[in-house]
């Protein structure tokens, strides 16, 4: 099924390469990298995750700046191979602690050992971190996690250069601690990716939340875990309205649907909304959920473009942070396509603006506004003056926009889903492990129409 598997750096260097069948011509990695690097499709700036060159199918994902690629000569389900690549990246991170170019190069023997167990003659065998522990004997060489951003749980589903800050712990599931003593820790991340579409007047047209409760355990003895969620959690559409008075967690939460990891027992879930499980090794999703009920979006985005002459126009972008001042959004990027005949753009930031940059991307004809951080309750404005190569004919709002926004907000969740308590069933009174519960909200699709 799979002919080759390889991992390339951002420069196109081979880090890992395995040829399982010998049927794909040599140089496939170079062909893939050139195709991706110089992708020239007018409809897309980046190469799609699946494409064909000279009869060879290339399937890839980009994780933490690395290309994970498989090639095949046969007609195989693309979604199956994309999922396999994501799981290989996840398992590699579990064993190395940090997933980046340095860690792969220093642990290439361990990585090849993992690949030999995950794929046999091109056929996937297992991608379970826990099952693989019985067959893996090499110890990982730990690297400095600060060199490159670690792989966060949500980054597994991100393509291109978009990446959220790492929220998962950066330790290997098999590495021994210095001195032989293991620190008892358990990490729970609630990751929410929100999609919102605003009308030209600022009203919400569509809104949706895709959420994941992610867990990684470093507890010895595999103790039983009890994870309690909101008592007023409802599953299924009930028509109830959202309480706008609070967005910090707690209260009524209405989910359209959800699914759970196979290790989760739901015996008491219907009674007190408590999940019981014995966490397996490695990072895994305890629960995935979806919410389309009305919720309060963290940002209000408005955009206006008006003609300022026969070959000029002015753009006004405004962002208002509708969340508590205790929270801060990071790495905000706002992009707005402009008419294809736009020659140049000049920008005017608000007085006292700090940590903000602007740019006009001539190749793709779009404005880009980057903000280092936005504190809750604040408002920011950008003005841009456009110069056209020809006179504008008709309504320029039809040729510009929509505005797209990307951001990350730590310790904030739009759905109000909350972990009430995390209980570890171990009889010793002196046993008091560290429990880390963190919340992250990021934009999946945040769009404002003109």
């Amino acid at each position: 099924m799979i002919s080759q598997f390889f991992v390339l750096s951002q420069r196109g260097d081979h880090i890992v390469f395995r040829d399982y069948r010998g049927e794909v011509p040599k140089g496939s990695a170079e062909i893939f990298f050139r195709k991706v690097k110089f992708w020239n499709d007018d409809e897309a700036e980046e190469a799609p995750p699946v494409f064909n060159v000279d009869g060879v199918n290339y399937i890839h994902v980009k994780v933490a700046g690395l290309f994970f690629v498989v090639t095949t000569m046969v007609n195989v389900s693309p979604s199956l191979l994309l999922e396999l690549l994501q799981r290989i990246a996840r398992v590699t991170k579990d064993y190395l602690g940090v997933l980046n170019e340095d860690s792969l190069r220093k642990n290439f023997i361990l990585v090849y050992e993992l690949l030999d167990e995950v794929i046999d003659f091109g056929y996937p065998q297992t991608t379970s971190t826990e099952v693989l522990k019985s067959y893996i004997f090499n110890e990982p060489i730990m690297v400095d996690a600060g060199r490159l951003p670690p792989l966060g749980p949500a980054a597994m589903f991100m393509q291109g250069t978009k990446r959220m800050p790492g929220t998962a712990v950066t330790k290997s599931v098999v590495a021994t601690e210095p001195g032989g003593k293991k620190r008892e820790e358990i990490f729970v991340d609630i990751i929410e990716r929100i999609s919102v579409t605003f009308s030209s007047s600022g009203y919400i047209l569509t809104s949706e939340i895709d959420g994941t409760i992610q867990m990684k355990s470093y507890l010895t003895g595999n103790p039983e875990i009890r994870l309690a969620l909101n008592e007023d959690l409802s599953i299924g559409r009930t028509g109830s309205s959202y309480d706008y008075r609070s967005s910090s967690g707690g209260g009524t939460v209405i989910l359209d649907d959800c699914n759970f990891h196979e290790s989760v027992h739901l015996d008491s879930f219907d009674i007190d909304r408590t999940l019981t499980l014995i966490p397996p090794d490695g990072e895994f999703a305890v629960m995935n959920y979806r919410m389309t009920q009305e919720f309060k979006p963290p940002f209000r985005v408005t955009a206006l473009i008006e003609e300022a002459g026969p070959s000029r126009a002015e753009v006004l972008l405004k962002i208002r942070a509708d969340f508590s001042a205790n929270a801060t959004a990071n790495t905000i990027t706002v992009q707005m396509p402009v008419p294809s005949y736009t020659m140049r753009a000049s920008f005017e930031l608000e007085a006292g603006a700090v940590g903000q940059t602007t740019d006009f991307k001539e190749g793709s004809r779009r404005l880009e506004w980057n903000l280092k951080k936005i504190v809750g309750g604040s408002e920011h404005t950008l003005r841009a003056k456009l110069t056209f190569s020809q006179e504008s004919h008709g309504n320029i709002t039809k040729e510009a926009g929509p505005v797209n926004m990307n951001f990350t907000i730590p310790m904030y969740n739009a759905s109000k889903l909350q972990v009430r308590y995390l209980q570890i069933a171990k009889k010793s009174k002196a046993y008091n492990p560290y429990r880390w519960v963190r919340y992250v909200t990021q934009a999946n699709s945040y769009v404002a129409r003109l």
Side-chain angles (χ1 to χ4, degrees), residues 42 150 241 252 304 314 395:
D42 294 335
S241 60
T252 304
L304 178 66
E314 290 190 1
N395 189 357

Side-chain angles (χ1 to χ4, degrees), residues 247 283 355:
S247 60
E283 195 175 334

Side-chain angles (χ1 to χ4, degrees), residues 34 110 164 226 250 290 355 358 442:
R34 283 200 304 270
L110 174 57
M164 67 176 294
R226 290 176 60 84
R290 185 173 63 93
T358 56
Q442 72 165 153

Side-chain angles (χ1 to χ4, degrees), residues 373-409:
K373 65 178 181 179
I374 295 180
V375 179
S378 62
E379 187 172 286
H380 300 274
T381 304
L382 171 69
R383 293 180 181 274
K385 295 181 179 180
L386 308 180
T387 302
F388 302 142
S389 60
Q390 64 185 49
E391 290 188 13
S392 174
H393 299 286
N395 189 357
I396 60 174
T397 58
K398 294 182 179 180
E399 303 178 70
V403 179
N404 188 279
M405 185 175 181
N406 292 291
F407 55 84
T408 298
I409 312 178

